[in-house]
Amino acid sequence: GVIDAGTFSLQDSSLLIAETIIAADRVKGKSETDKTIYYINNKILSATGNSRDLLRHIPGVQVDLKQNISLDGNPNILLFVDGKERDKGFVSQLNPSRIDRIEVINTPPSNYDGNASGVINIVLKREKIAGVSGHILSEIPASKSVVYLFPTYSLNYSYNKLNLYTSYNGEINSEQIEEITNRQIFENTSITDISSIEHVRQKNLFHKFHYGIDYHLTDRDILSYYGFYNQYSYEQDGDVVVNATGGSNNNWEAQKEENDFNRNILNSLYYKHLFNDKGREITVDISNVNNRSENQVTYNNSGDGS
């Protein structure tokens, strides 16, 4: 049957929204006439710990175990940071959170070095307010026998048109290696076999300290100073055994001790002006480099042979 329940009175209720958040990712990339631009979003940053890992997310870019950067398998490329040519050491110490986008040019135009097969330009974020940022990164070796570290740090201060920075990237490699060399000397009817065996510990130390200042005179003019101090060494210390068999048998043993010292110092001034017409600019880069190298290898003979 039908039941009449009467009249129900409804009462209005008001809801006050305190906050509304709209979240979206940046466009991952877009193609232009002469280059492809890849924008760095939060997903990429959350999956990377340093700038080298970030580059691995860019299509066509490869970074090997020695931190060498290549484009489509070709290592003959040019690296730029904000339009200024830099090396892989400078790129490796960059804080990923400072990178805004990465521009990839697979076919460089005529205004680049003719021997380069590609160009990677890393564009940093322009800080609008005062702030200090930085990072420290280092791997932890899994064993004492093999040490392979690439530590970095950076410290950056920005205020309006001024940007100051200092940073460091290093390479610490230490491991046992065995090098065997065999030679044969033919003289008349006799043959002399010479074998050399080296049991040494390889030590590769690389330390590079960067420092600089950028000043934006106007929106179209930038003046920069950049310098670095780079000290590195490559040494192999251990036991060396040489055997010679032929007309006379000789055995020579020695303790190998190598001392290697290399130092590079660079100072450069950079100026860039953008004209009203898009794509027209003038740049001036003046650099001075000072190199010094010293190497000495000592063999302490511990055998009776000569």
Side-chain angles (χ1 to χ4, degrees), residues 79-99:
L79 296 174
F80 288 83
V81 177
D82 282 342
K84 299 182 283 290
E85 187 173 356
R86 296 291 183 250
D87 58 10
K88 68 173 185 177
F90 186 88
V91 171
S92 67
Q93 54 75 39
L94 289 174
N95 189 339
S97 63
R98 292 187 59 208
I99 299 177

Side-chain angles (χ1 to χ4, degrees), residues 61-297:
V61 178
Q62 299 86 32
V63 183
D64 63 15
L65 186 62
K66 297 284 289 183
Q67 314 307 315
N68 297 310
I69 303 172
S70 59
L71 182 60
D72 294 329
N74 195 327
N76 186 26
I77 63 174
L78 297 176
L79 296 174
F80 288 83
V81 177
D82 282 342
K84 299 182 283 290
E85 187 173 356
R86 296 291 183 250
D87 58 10
K88 68 173 185 177
F90 186 88
V91 171
S92 67
Q93 54 75 39
L94 289 174
N95 189 339
S97 63
R98 292 187 59 208
I99 299 177
D100 180 65
R101 62 186 186 273
I102 295 176
E103 301 173 347
V104 177
I105 304 175
N106 295 92
T107 305
S110 58
N111 57 320
Y112 291 100
D113 187 349
N115 296 323
S117 61
V119 175
I120 298 176
N121 181 35
I122 299 175
V123 181
L124 303 180
K125 298 175 182 178
R126 285 281 303 273
E127 300 292 342
K128 299 298 184 182
I129 59 176
V132 178
S133 62
H135 81 287
I136 299 176
L137 174 70
S138 180
E139 299 84 358
I140 299 177
S143 66
K144 294 182 179 179
S145 58
V146 179
V147 178
Y148 217 55
L149 307 177
F150 294 92
T152 65
Y153 83 75
S154 68
L155 182 63
N156 188 85
Y157 172 74
S158 297
Y159 181 77
N160 290 336
K161 299 180 180 181
L162 182 68
N163 183 62
L164 298 170
Y165 63 88
T166 178
S167 58
Y168 160 82
N169 70 282
E171 178 181 341
I172 302 173
N173 172 222
S174 179
E175 59 185 328
Q176 291 291 134
I177 64 172
E178 181 181 275
E179 183 176 318
I180 301 176
T181 305
N182 295 305
R183 300 182 180 89
Q184 282 189 329
I185 300 176
F186 297 88
E187 185 177 1
N188 297 328
T189 58
S190 63
I191 300 177
T192 301
D193 293 317
I194 301 176
S195 64
S196 172
I197 302 176
E198 294 189 9
H199 296 278
V200 296
R201 185 163 188 84
Q202 174 179 290
K203 294 182 293 183
N204 185 17
L205 301 177
F206 179 96
H207 305 286
K208 194 169 188 178
F209 297 89
H210 311 263
Y211 39 86
I213 179 173
D214 299 321
Y215 185 71
H216 294 266
L217 301 170
T218 66
D219 291 338
R220 297 180 178 273
D221 297 272
I222 181 173
L223 180 64
S224 300
Y225 163 77
Y226 167 66
F228 68 69
Y229 176 85
N230 178 207
Q231 182 174 320
Y232 61 94
S233 63
Y234 180 84
E235 300 179 357
Q236 294 183 350
D237 301 327
D239 298 321
V240 178
V241 178
V242 179
N243 292 314
T245 60
S248 60
N249 295 334
N250 291 307
N251 181 43
W252 182 77
E253 298 182 8
Q255 183 74 24
K256 179 183 178 181
E257 182 177 348
E258 186 172 5
N259 295 313
D260 185 36
F261 173 82
N262 303 276
R263 183 195 68 187
N264 293 333
I265 300 176
L266 177 137
N267 293 284
S268 67
L269 284 174
Y270 175 87
Y271 171 75
K272 180 178 181 179
H273 173 74
L274 298 175
F275 292 97
N276 293 330
D277 296 338
K278 184 178 180 180
R280 296 187 62 188
E281 64 181 44
I282 182 173
T283 59
V284 179
D285 195 345
I286 303 174
S287 302
N288 175 265
V289 180
N290 181 273
N291 299 320
R292 178 187 175 189
S293 298
E294 298 177 4
N295 181 270
Q296 180 179 358
V297 181

Side-chain angles (χ1 to χ4, degrees), residues 27-32 35-39 101-104:
V27 177
K28 293 183 179 180
K30 68 175 183 179
S31 297
E32 295 188 354
K35 61 188 173 183
T36 304
I37 302 175
Y38 298 95
Y39 296 95
R101 62 186 186 273
I102 295 176
E103 301 173 347
V104 177

Side-chain angles (χ1 to χ4, degrees), residues 43-73:
K43 287 185 178 180
I44 296 179
L45 288 176
S46 63
T48 59
N50 53 57
S51 58
R52 301 184 298 268
D53 291 341
L54 189 147
L55 285 173
R56 291 188 175 100
H57 289 270
I58 305 302
V61 178
Q62 299 86 32
V63 183
D64 63 15
L65 186 62
K66 297 284 289 183
Q67 314 307 315
N68 297 310
I69 303 172
S70 59
L71 182 60
D72 294 329

